[in-house]
Amino acid sequence: MLYFIQIIFQNLLNIPLLCFVCGYLMAIVIPFILKSGSKMVFVPRLPKAVLDWLTVYVLFAIGVKGGGPILVHSLADGEAFLGTSVLLILWGLIQPWGAFYWLRRSTSLDSATAAAVAAAFGSVSIMTFVTALSFLDALGERYMPWLIATLALMELPAIVAGLWIAQRANAVSQLTVSALLKEALGNKAVIAILVGLGVGMALEVTQLSSVYRILLVPFSVALGVFLFDTGMRVGVSKNFFQSFPRGLGWFGIYMPMINGLIGVAMGCGFGMSVGGTTLIAVLMASASYIAVPAAMRAALPQANAAIYMPLALGIAFPFNVLVGIPLFYYLAKTYTSSV
């Protein structure tokens, strides 16, 4: 237990996470001091255009960082890469169905909104994954670089599953397979990561390490600024929770916990390293608040964004970065032997 508490404190000292916490505290404390209630007029926020560019760069840089190692390691670990990717893609297709039926039974959500929530929790949070990478790097834990490619692949199945669920529930007009894939692929998160992966692989082949370093120079600063702004967004989104159906807020905690524990069991079962097992758990536990909401707003406009967006960003994301990551690492460290 003492070791677990030490891990949590180590996680809190992680620079990206500190940026998130500071942003959250700013959103809470400044309006309180200025007696402005929950209004954000006194709290500085990044302009939307700047935030969009920052998001694209961070996602692109993640792809660049993983592109070269993926090219090298996927050739050596092709069987593990293929097997893990297939299982996680199947997870992304299947998990939203269970989440949808549970939400319909346990809450008063309409079909469209329940489908959007299920898709968000069946997909992945890229920023949760990046925070986990930073956490593992600080601890010196090894992990499989090709998991970054798996991260990009896992965005798609849950979006397709969510739209398919909504279609089956008559919450959306009939969509063709091509339309489903277009909505799944046509978002900046997936495109930015895939382009970054391609650039990283090209730099590995051409051995242009100087260009690689130049591209990644702003990454740490950009990630810190992005998470600082995310912290402020979480601080604001707390006001939406009052309108949540009963029990829905707890869904944002116990669903990531259940999914993450399944991920730990999967990593242990496949004999992965501590770092790899932790990342598998994080991939399965996280909830998308970038790619899935963008796709749902376009393809499922009748779904209530004031439900699925704050639930993923305001509850699941803080839970995972503050508690989930150190918990999954602790369990992986306890039950997994490094390979």
Side-chain angles (χ1 to χ4, degrees):
M1 186 62 182
L2 179 61
Y3 179 57
F4 177 57
I5 295 174
Q6 290 175 340
I7 294 173
I8 290 180
F9 275 108
Q10 282 181 295
N11 188 39
L12 289 173
L13 295 177
N14 193 6
I15 297 299
L17 187 58
L18 279 176
C19 292
F20 171 80
V21 172
C22 289
Y24 179 82
L25 292 176
M26 177 175 283
I28 300 297
V29 173
I30 289 183
F32 176 77
I33 293 175
L34 298 178
K35 301 185 184 300
S36 59
S38 60
K39 298 178 181 178
M40 284 294 293
V41 292
F42 297 105
V43 179
R45 290 289 306 279
L46 291 175
K48 185 179 184 301
V50 175
L51 183 60
D52 287 344
W53 277 102
L54 197 63
T55 303
V56 169
Y57 169 73
V58 169
L59 300 178
F60 170 77
I62 294 167
V64 172
K65 289 181 71 175
I70 286 170
L71 188 63
V72 174
H73 289 273
S74 61
L75 295 176
D77 306 326
E79 185 176 344
F81 170 61
L82 181 61
T84 303
S85 297
V86 169
L87 282 175
L88 291 177
I89 288 171
L90 288 174
W91 169 263
L93 285 171
I94 295 170
Q95 195 273 345
W97 290 88
F100 173 78
Y101 286 113
W102 174 250
L103 285 167
R104 292 290 286 159
R105 288 177 62 88
S106 62
T107 72
S108 59
L109 288 182
D110 59 272
S111 295
T113 303
V117 171
F121 280 78
S123 185
V124 292
S125 166
I126 297 171
M127 289 306 150
T128 306
F129 185 82
V130 176
T131 304
L133 290 181
S134 179
F135 171 75
L136 293 174
D137 287 341
L139 293 175
E141 289 286 354
R142 295 182 298 115
Y143 49 83
M144 300 79 74
W146 45 258
L147 281 172
I148 298 175
T150 304
L151 163 74
L153 295 174
M154 284 186 70
E155 288 278 15
L156 308 180
I159 295 175
V160 173
L163 296 178
W164 190 9
I165 290 168
Q167 183 174 288
R168 291 291 298 272
N170 297 318
V172 66
S173 58
Q174 294 296 309
L175 294 172
T176 64
V177 174
S178 61
L180 285 171
L181 292 176
K182 180 180 178 181
E183 293 298 340
L185 288 167
N187 65 81
K188 64 185 179 185
V190 175
I191 293 172
I193 291 180
L194 292 178
V195 171
L197 286 171
V199 171
M201 291 178 184
L203 293 176
E204 176 69 25
V205 171
T206 55
Q207 297 183 342
L208 294 175
S209 57
S210 58
V211 177
Y212 175 87
R213 288 193 294 269
I214 291 172
L215 285 175
L216 296 183
V217 164
F219 176 73
S220 297
V221 174
L223 178 60
V225 174
F226 182 92
L227 287 176
F228 183 84
D229 188 80
T230 301
M232 290 194 289
R233 291 168 63 196
V234 171
V236 176
S237 66
K238 69 182 186 348
N239 298 302
F240 290 100
F241 302 152
Q242 298 174 357
S243 62
F244 276 17
R246 181 177 299 178
L248 185 59
W250 287 109
F251 177 89
I253 294 176
Y254 66 70
M255 184 54 65
M257 178 75 75
I258 293 171
N259 293 344
L261 292 177
I262 294 173
V264 171
M266 181 185 294
C268 292
F270 283 104
M272 292 185 174
S273 65
V274 173
T277 299
T278 302
L279 290 181
I280 292 291
V282 169
L283 284 171
M284 295 175 65
S286 58
S288 173
Y289 63 89
I290 296 178
V292 170
M296 292 299 129
R297 279 195 295 268
L300 204 60
Q302 64 270 46
N304 189 352
I307 295 292
Y308 62 78
M309 184 71 172
L311 187 60
L313 176 63
I315 296 181
F317 178 75
F319 171 78
N320 276 320
V321 298
L322 294 172
V323 178
I325 292 173
L327 174 62
F328 303 145
Y329 173 77
Y330 172 77
L331 293 174
K333 191 79 170 176
T334 302
Y335 296 108
T336 302
S337 299
S338 295
V339 295

